[in-house]
Amino acid sequence: MNECHHTPAEVYDSLRRFGYDIVTFSNHNVLTRHPFDTSLQVNVYEHGYNLFKYHKLVFGCKDVCLFDNLVPLFAFQKQFQLDLLGKDSDFIQMNHPFRTNGTSEYQMSRLTGYRIMELDSGVTTEQEYWDWALSAGHYSFALANDDLHYPDRTRCIAVRCNFLCTPSARYEDLKKVLLDGCYYSMRVPDYGGGNWAEKHRGNESLPYVRDIGMKDSLIFIKLSEPADSISFTGQGHSQLSKVTDSDFLAYVFRPDDNYARITAWFADGEVIYSNPFARYDASVSDSPYVEAEHPVNLLLTILFNLLLLLLAAGDILLIVKIVKK
């Protein structure tokens, strides 16, 4: 049922012409082999065939998990799925929350067990759902992916990318970079609106981050060219600082700040996203990420499944009566 009918080799060649150095393939519920170099193999797939499009990228697994909640309405169903996938993988990315039916601030404030959040699925550049989770203390990095199903359409390919500080494209190096947050993400406009030559030219001259970091309590970013605006976002999706028509912005991280992330919007539609700087206790952990435990409530689990059985039995009886009539 996958819409993409192009081979991995075709997709890889197309992205290489746009200047991509690293390409990974995360097809739905199947591990895809690298088209020509086994040393560059990344075992990752997009999990989920449920009705609500609750999808996750599963990295570093040996096999595909076939179990899924067909109607993941509640947070505990989604958490169970994250925990199950986490048992046999290196880490998980939560995909396109704004395109997942049932996503709410309450659920994002509850769910944990993922290390990466997918950004910018074409709905918004604000990423409120990421702030819902970050504000609840659930720290994660973020990736921007094409969600590519139609590589023959200019508006679908080379419109999201990430710039990684990595010595190679091998999985162990990628894994370290992704879990350390040594990268930034970007939204890229569809230059030319269907003109492939203009699209290639636009992708050859993207704005980029010249320097980013934190010195003492000062967080700063320096860009390759002036942006329309640069903004620091913090707790509760609040705007901590903003500058317009500039290639530089700095912000003093206050004692009451829990985190700060940077977004830069450019005139032609490019958007750069940084990973969040966060406050945490270094004597306890080497990262703001917290590995939470999720014990199973056996009584509520039994009652919930009994309710499902009763509902199923009721539906069957109703169908039988209708058929008899």
Side-chain angles (χ1 to χ4, degrees):
M1 297 177 68
N2 192 344
E3 302 101 318
C4 184
H5 302 294
H6 296 258
T7 67
E10 290 172 325
V11 174
Y12 184 92
D13 288 343
S14 181
L15 287 170
R16 288 287 289 179
R17 288 195 292 272
F18 282 110
Y20 284 62
D21 299 305
I22 302 169
V23 179
T24 59
F25 302 92
S26 53
N27 276 312
H28 282 271
N29 299 297
V30 63
L31 294 174
T32 303
R33 309 308 301 176
H34 195 279
F36 60 85
D37 190 343
T38 56
S39 71
L40 300 180
Q41 174 66 26
V42 176
N43 276 16
V44 57
Y45 71 97
E46 185 166 15
H47 179 276
Y49 41 82
N50 56 78
L51 300 179
F52 286 3
K53 291 190 175 182
Y54 177 52
H55 296 163
K56 295 76 56 187
L57 287 194
V58 185
F59 286 84
C61 52
K62 293 183 179 179
D63 298 296
V64 172
C65 176
L66 299 179
F67 176 82
D68 193 15
N69 286 293
L70 295 182
V71 187
L73 179 63
F74 302 104
F76 66 80
Q77 293 173 297
K78 296 179 179 180
Q79 188 62 67
F80 176 82
Q81 192 71 67
L82 287 170
D83 292 347
L84 182 65
L85 296 174
K87 291 179 180 179
D88 298 311
S89 65
D90 290 333
F91 57 98
I92 298 169
Q93 170 181 304
M94 187 184 296
N95 281 1
H96 48 67
F98 267 179
R99 289 174 50 208
T100 301
N101 298 320
T103 296
S104 65
E105 183 173 359
Y106 170 78
Q107 290 201 357
M108 295 305 294
S109 69
R110 300 274 293 181
L111 297 174
T112 65
Y114 58 91
R115 299 297 299 270
I116 297 176
M117 182 77 70
E118 183 184 21
L119 294 185
D120 192 7
S121 298
V123 179
T124 175
T125 61
E126 289 291 337
Q127 318 306 335
E128 294 98 327
Y129 56 84
W130 193 19
D131 287 315
W132 294 341
L134 291 170
S135 297
H138 307 318
Y139 186 80
S140 67
F141 299 126
L143 283 172
N145 309 311
D146 268 351
D147 196 6
L148 182 61
H149 294 264
Y150 303 100
D152 54 342
R153 303 177 187 180
T154 62
R155 61 182 174 82
C156 296
I157 191 170
V159 291
R160 307 287 185 273
C161 60
N162 307 279
F163 292 84
L164 283 66
C165 182
T166 175
S168 82
R170 290 176 172 81
Y171 175 66
E172 287 306 316
D173 288 327
L174 295 182
K175 173 184 172 182
K176 180 175 180 6
V177 170
L178 293 176
L179 294 180
D180 288 347
C182 301
Y183 64 93
Y184 65 91
S185 302
M186 192 168 186
R187 176 180 188 171
V188 181
D190 180 23
Y191 298 109
N195 185 309
W196 287 97
E198 288 187 30
K199 185 176 179 70
H200 279 94
R201 281 195 293 270
N203 276 267
E204 289 174 357
S205 56
L206 297 175
Y208 58 90
V209 175
R210 285 191 181 274
D211 196 11
I212 186 172
M214 184 173 189
K215 186 175 182 181
D216 297 326
S217 296
L218 187 72
I219 306 172
F220 61 89
I221 186 170
K222 174 70 174 176
L223 302 170
S224 62
E225 59 186 72
D228 267 10
S229 65
I230 310 172
S231 178
F232 278 83
T233 303
Q235 188 74 16
H237 193 59
S238 61
Q239 187 178 98
L240 304 176
S241 182
K242 183 179 181 180
V243 67
T244 58
D245 193 24
S246 177
D247 63 358
F248 179 81
L249 181 60
Y251 174 73
V252 176
F253 202 56
R254 303 187 309 249
D256 59 337
D257 286 327
N258 294 325
Y259 73 92
R261 61 179 184 85
I262 308 170
T263 310
W265 291 267
F266 293 85
D268 290 334
E270 304 92 344
V271 186
I272 286 177
Y273 307 100
S274 82
N275 282 313
F277 296 83
R279 188 179 302 282
Y280 67 100
D281 188 347
S283 66
V284 176
S285 173
D286 60 357
S287 166
Y289 176 77
V290 176
E291 195 75 56
E293 293 186 3
H294 308 113
V296 176
N297 188 316
L298 292 177
L299 177 61
L300 290 180
T301 300
I302 293 171
L303 292 175
F304 177 76
N305 283 283
L306 284 174
L307 176 61
L308 292 180
L309 288 173
L310 289 173
L311 290 174
D315 290 339
I316 293 172
L317 288 174
L318 180 61
I319 292 171
V320 170
K321 287 184 178 180
I322 293 173
V323 170
K324 285 183 176 180
K325 285 184 178 181

